[in-house]
Amino acid sequence: MDETRSGLPSVARAILLFSRFPGVGRKSAQRMVQHLLRRGRTEIDMLVDALGELRDKVRPCARCFNLAEEELCWICADPRRDPTTLCVLEETSDLLAMEKAGSFQGVYHVLGGRLSPLDGIGPEQLHIAPLCTRLRAGNVAELIIATNPTVEGEATAHYIVQISQPLVGRITRLACGLPMGGELEYMDESTLHQALAGRRAF
Amino acid sequence: MDETRSGLPSVARAILLFSRFPGVGRKSAQRMVQHLLRRGRTEIDMLVDALGELRDKVRPCARCFNLAEEELCWICADPRRDPTTLCVLEETSDLLAMEKAGSFQGVYHVLGGRLSPLDGIGPEQLHIAPLCTRLRAGNVAELIIATNPTVEGEATAHYIVQISQPLVGRITRLACGLPMGGELEYMDESTLHQALAGRRAF
């Protein structure tokens, strides 16, 4: 469905928009549009409805910047969560991965990215000021830093440690080491280095 | 964004619909929805618009079953195309691939699939009756069969040859053999068989 050849502007436009999704190339976008045309009106109607809801209902949680449909997200609104343990992460997708693991009972703060000066992302572009406000309120006992173990994630972690040290008693970070089910043979050097450095007594 | 955990029905619904696209798994659907939420209202509006247009404007060409926005598609409506050479293919995507190659000046007929008795797809489920009507009109000199070189595509080709033999003077099919740029080393046996059987004099 090449725009110029197909002579169907509506099809070309849909393909163009679909190919803007991450990981979706031109071929996949074509297949997606053809899938919709094959499935017909009802399928497209459902998608249009769903997108409208997404646009109109979803907003950032006023407290932690997780996705929400109300003022607070389902975690901040849950009285069973422990508000004295605060876990800082880069993105909502990281939060969802943590929730899927199911072993964290505290609350979160989503930064909305990581420090990346080359891309023009400094502390002001992230939700760091609201994090300080939350810490200053004084009821956080432990701040768990769960940025990604990448160069930028580490830089972000260090920045947060610096500014939150005066504001909270205990700052920890997620352990780095061998992923469960991984094999030493296939681990990169820095992971092995971390695993050795962080070794624990049996 | 697990439906049950996220507590955001709108997000869960959008993910579910996106994961129904071919080749889009749950993870990719999540990433697509997050991309939309990150890009915001304007991006979603554009997509909703484009989908509405797709639903309201696109229909099958009344003559060849290609995608069209008018009664006839851009090929059937083009007076420069040669209506005496008719190429039969399975899907619109095949037609678009042929058009991209740019070496065919005739017209098409899109079957809308291939014969597949196990999936309940017989001749009645394909646009074979309209093909016969076109051939009976008598101005097609050559019928080029361009179904895919798969078991089902071959069966479809044979069926079409049988029913169109009384209706058209010349029936041909696309050559099978080595794809350009391919290496013999990596070709399967049946492709090599076809390439040898169809060898041509220098």
Side-chain angles (χ1 to χ4, degrees):
Chain A
M1 300 197 216
D2 191 294
E3 302 92 320
T4 50
R5 284 185 188 280
S6 87
L8 295 189
S10 57
V11 172
R13 185 161 160 244
I15 291 176
L16 187 72
L17 286 174
F18 275 120
S19 66
R20 276 153 68 158
F21 282 110
V24 176
R26 196 163 172 76
K27 273 270 167 198
S28 315
Q30 279 184 17
R31 266 198 300 272
M32 289 167 73
V33 170
Q34 269 195 320
H35 162 86
L36 286 180
L37 289 169
R38 211 174 288 135
R39 296 293 285 267
R41 180 167 280 274
T42 325
E43 185 78 12
I44 300 179
D45 279 338
M46 283 196 293
L47 199 55
V48 167
D49 265 19
L51 289 169
E53 273 211 341
L54 209 60
R55 175 191 55 202
D56 300 332
K57 289 196 176 169
V58 179
R59 48 179 167 169
C61 170
R63 192 178 291 161
C64 78
F65 297 93
N66 181 16
L67 300 177
E69 286 188 358
E70 312 291 330
E71 199 196 344
L72 293 182
C73 74
W74 70 97
I75 293 171
C76 288
D78 184 346
R80 289 163 305 178
R81 306 293 296 226
D82 168 18
T84 66
T85 313
L86 183 63
C87 177
V88 182
L89 347 96
E90 295 179 18
E91 300 281 1
T92 314
S93 46
D94 303 325
L95 181 156
L96 295 167
M98 279 290 278
E99 283 298 288
K100 209 170 161 206
S103 44
F104 182 63
Q105 301 305 321
V107 292
Y108 295 98
H109 191 87
V110 179
L111 294 171
R114 71 228 72 170
L115 292 177
S116 177
L118 289 177
D119 302 315
I121 299 176
E124 303 74 30
Q125 278 68 50
L126 303 178
H127 305 130
I128 288 182
L131 172 64
C132 294
T133 310
R134 289 180 77 180
L135 295 177
R136 261 186 224 106
N139 58 343
V140 175
E142 179 177 357
L143 181 69
I144 303 175
I145 298 183
T147 54
N148 290 317
T150 60
V151 174
E152 291 171 341
E154 297 283 287
T156 311
H158 283 115
Y159 181 83
I160 291 171
V161 168
Q162 278 189 324
I163 58 157
S164 49
Q165 221 139 28
L167 304 172
V168 62
R170 183 169 150 80
I171 304 179
T172 58
R173 59 172 297 180
L174 295 188
C176 284
L178 305 174
M180 299 304 290
E183 293 181 48
L184 262 73
E185 188 179 350
Y186 300 116
M187 290 299 137
D188 62 295
E189 291 155 34
S190 55
T191 298
L192 282 176
H193 174 79
Q194 290 293 337
L196 192 63
R199 67 191 182 278
R200 296 166 57 174
F202 256 108
Chain B
M1 300 199 216
D2 190 295
E3 301 92 319
T4 50
R5 284 185 189 279
S6 86
L8 294 190
S10 57
V11 172
R13 186 161 159 244
I15 292 176
L16 187 71
L17 286 173
F18 276 120
S19 66
R20 275 153 67 159
F21 282 111
V24 176
R26 200 168 166 72
K27 273 271 169 199
S28 314
Q30 279 184 15
R31 266 198 300 273
M32 290 168 72
V33 170
Q34 269 194 323
H35 163 85
L36 286 179
L37 290 170
R38 211 174 289 136
R39 296 293 285 267
R41 177 167 282 272
T42 325
E43 185 80 12
I44 300 179
D45 279 339
M46 284 196 293
L47 198 56
V48 167
D49 266 20
L51 289 169
E53 273 211 340
L54 209 61
R55 176 192 56 201
D56 300 333
K57 289 197 177 168
V58 179
R59 49 180 167 168
C61 170
R63 192 177 291 161
C64 79
F65 298 93
N66 181 15
L67 299 178
E69 285 188 359
E70 311 292 330
E71 199 196 346
L72 293 182
C73 74
W74 69 99
I75 294 172
C76 288
D78 185 345
R80 291 163 303 178
R81 306 294 296 226
D82 168 18
T84 67
T85 313
L86 183 62
C87 177
V88 183
L89 346 98
E90 295 178 19
E91 300 280 2
T92 314
S93 47
D94 303 326
L95 181 155
L96 295 167
M98 280 289 278
E99 284 297 288
K100 208 171 161 205
S103 46
F104 181 63
Q105 301 305 320
V107 293
Y108 296 96
H109 190 87
V110 179
L111 294 171
R114 73 228 71 174
L115 293 177
S116 179
L118 289 178
D119 303 315
I121 298 175
E124 303 74 30
Q125 278 69 50
L126 304 179
H127 304 129
I128 288 182
L131 172 65
C132 294
T133 310
R134 290 180 76 180
L135 295 178
R136 262 187 223 106
N139 59 342
V140 175
E142 179 177 357
L143 182 68
I144 303 175
I145 298 181
T147 54
N148 290 316
T150 59
V151 174
E152 291 170 342
E154 296 284 287
T156 311
H158 283 115
Y159 181 83
I160 291 172
V161 167
Q162 277 189 325
I163 58 158
S164 49
Q165 221 137 28
L167 304 172
V168 62
R170 183 169 148 81
I171 304 178
T172 58
R173 58 170 298 178
L174 295 188
C176 284
L178 304 175
M180 300 302 291
E183 294 180 47
L184 262 72
E185 188 180 351
Y186 301 116
M187 290 300 137
D188 61 293
E189 290 155 35
S190 54
T191 298
L192 283 175
H193 174 79
Q194 290 292 335
L196 192 62
R199 69 191 181 279
R200 297 166 56 173
F202 256 109

